[in-house]
Amino acid sequence: MSKRPPSLPAQAHDMRMQMALRQIDFGAAPRPATAAPKPQAPDDALALKRRDWLADVQERQRALSPYASGLLTAEHLSGEDFLHSFYAPGRPVLIKGAMAGWPALDLWTPDYLAETVGDAMIEFQGDRSRAADYELAKDRHKMRGRFRDFIAMVRHGGNNAYLTAYNSAANGPALAPLQADLGHLNAYLTRAPGMLWIGGEGTFTPLHFDLTNNMLAQVTGTKRVILIPPSQTRRLAHKAHVFSEVRDVTDEARLALYPQARDVLRYEVLLTPGDLLFVPIGWWHQVRLESFATMLTYTGFHWPNVGYEGYPAG
Ligand SMILES: O=C(O)CCC(=O)C(=O)O
């Protein structure tokens, strides 16, 4: 008689796997993050080459599985699944349906916004057509005006004026009447308010990454977002702060200047009303408005979100 145990059904195999993972401490409390590593010495070229080599090898390995690479779309994503599959691994995801029922989705037209906020004074980013570095030199472009006039300026398109997350600290009281039109995303986020973006067709945010994890919540209109994993950084001429000299990976003129960016690994998403896009810390992104658009960026996740501490800004 054979001594071999009978083969296990698939479920039992799963259970064994889970037990094994527990034994190697999978269920233990997370270890505190180690201190930020010292920045690389600028002359440590070999170390940088080795790091880039590993990033390429790992990206090729991820490409073996559609579950491990690519941009997934999810519906009915629980907070726990979001944490384990996306937030903790630092992987973007497009979440559909989570904003269903938010009154803003029906209400936020340019006319409604202008009527609701009226002549309250707001801060926005202006005069952007004058200088290509309008994101890097944010402070130089801060302007003030009546909200109604701002809407009149952006409703017909152009990249000259944009109300951005950077202006949100100054705009809290003026924009407060819009709060009642927003719902909550309790599975992923605390009740900390989001930061509002309002702009017209053709508005463009150049390629950069953020020092926090961000949840983008599209309310009105459409935005085309290009996402590029951190593994591609060496192709993106990363010099000033969190910006890429390439600026726009769809612009032939820029690609002619930075040809290494032509074959960068990238994902493209069209954000439509009611979509959430999770953009993990360090993921490059550029955004183009394809119509008048309003969106909120949230950073108040239920889990730590403090990557900016210790960033070697240069
Ligand atoms: O929507 C935009 O123009 C830019 C959004 C963005 O970069 C962000 O929220 O991190």
Side-chain angles (χ1 to χ4, degrees):
M1 207 171 68
S2 165
K3 294 256 166 71
R4 287 170 58 190
S7 64
L8 292 166
Q11 228 178 347
H13 273 299
D14 277 1
M15 188 56 74
R16 275 195 169 179
M17 170 76 92
Q18 284 181 29
M19 296 302 291
L21 288 170
R22 283 222 175 84
Q23 277 162 18
I24 58 168
D25 229 9
F26 187 68
R31 279 184 294 279
T34 50
K38 278 208 188 120
Q40 294 270 8
D43 60 351
D44 203 353
L46 182 61
L48 286 176
K49 274 191 192 154
R50 286 172 174 160
R51 198 179 63 189
D52 291 339
W53 165 85
L54 182 60
D56 281 350
V57 169
Q58 287 177 324
E59 210 56 78
R60 278 203 298 277
Q61 188 163 312
R62 271 193 284 274
L64 296 173
S65 156
Y67 300 106
S69 64
L71 182 67
L72 299 182
T73 302
E75 260 175 284
H76 310 295
L77 183 66
S78 70
E80 202 175 334
D81 286 345
F82 172 69
L83 171 65
H84 294 308
S85 299
F86 301 104
Y87 193 82
R91 182 170 184 196
V93 61
L94 178 65
I95 305 172
K96 296 269 183 190
M99 294 165 69
W102 286 29
L105 293 177
D106 295 323
L107 292 173
W108 282 15
T109 61
D111 285 338
Y112 172 87
L113 293 167
E115 272 318 298
T116 309
V117 179
D119 290 324
M121 292 297 285
I122 52 134
E123 181 189 287
F124 61 96
Q125 299 302 107
D127 230 355
R128 295 168 24 124
S129 318
R130 202 160 48 85
D133 66 346
Y134 51 81
E135 271 291 328
L136 181 61
K138 281 184 175 84
D139 287 322
R140 218 172 46 210
H141 290 268
K142 272 186 184 174
M143 295 196 169
R144 292 190 66 76
R146 292 183 201 291
F147 184 80
R148 199 190 300 278
D149 298 339
F150 167 78
I151 292 290
M153 227 176 345
V154 300
R155 66 185 301 158
H156 299 300
N159 189 30
N160 201 41
Y162 197 16
L163 191 150
T164 73
Y166 192 56
N167 307 119
S168 63
N171 288 338
L175 300 177
L178 298 174
Q179 275 304 324
D181 300 336
L182 302 173
H184 300 289
L185 296 162
N186 294 330
Y188 322 119
L189 299 167
T190 66
R191 294 285 170 105
M195 295 169 279
L196 185 59
W197 302 74
I198 303 179
E201 179 180 353
T203 303
F204 180 66
T205 299
L207 191 60
H208 69 284
F209 61 86
D210 290 306
L211 303 179
T212 53
N213 295 287
N214 292 345
M215 185 70 94
L216 278 48
Q218 184 71 13
V219 178
T220 318
T222 54
K223 282 187 172 183
R224 192 164 293 277
V225 183
I226 293 182
L227 284 167
I228 300 178
S231 64
Q232 306 297 297
T233 297
R234 79 170 143 126
R235 298 183 173 87
L236 295 177
H238 177 202
K239 300 222 171 79
H241 194 46
V242 295
F243 296 97
S244 161
E245 302 277 302
V246 182
R247 291 193 87 245
D248 179 356
V249 290
T250 67
D251 180 345
E252 264 308 313
R254 301 303 297 171
L255 291 174
L257 291 173
Y258 299 98
Q260 74 280 13
R262 277 186 197 284
D263 56 356
V264 80
L265 172 65
R266 67 191 217 202
Y267 305 106
E268 195 161 319
V269 191
L270 188 66
L271 276 186
T272 59
D275 287 351
L276 296 179
L277 179 64
F278 171 57
V279 181
I281 189 165
W283 274 68
W284 295 92
H285 49 291
Q286 64 176 67
V287 180
R288 192 177 303 280
L289 277 63
E290 299 210 332
S291 66
F292 174 84
T294 70
M295 187 193 85
L296 294 118
T297 296
Y298 293 91
T299 57
F301 290 92
H302 290 307
W303 311 281
N305 193 10
V306 288
Y308 48 83
E309 281 176 8
Y311 176 64

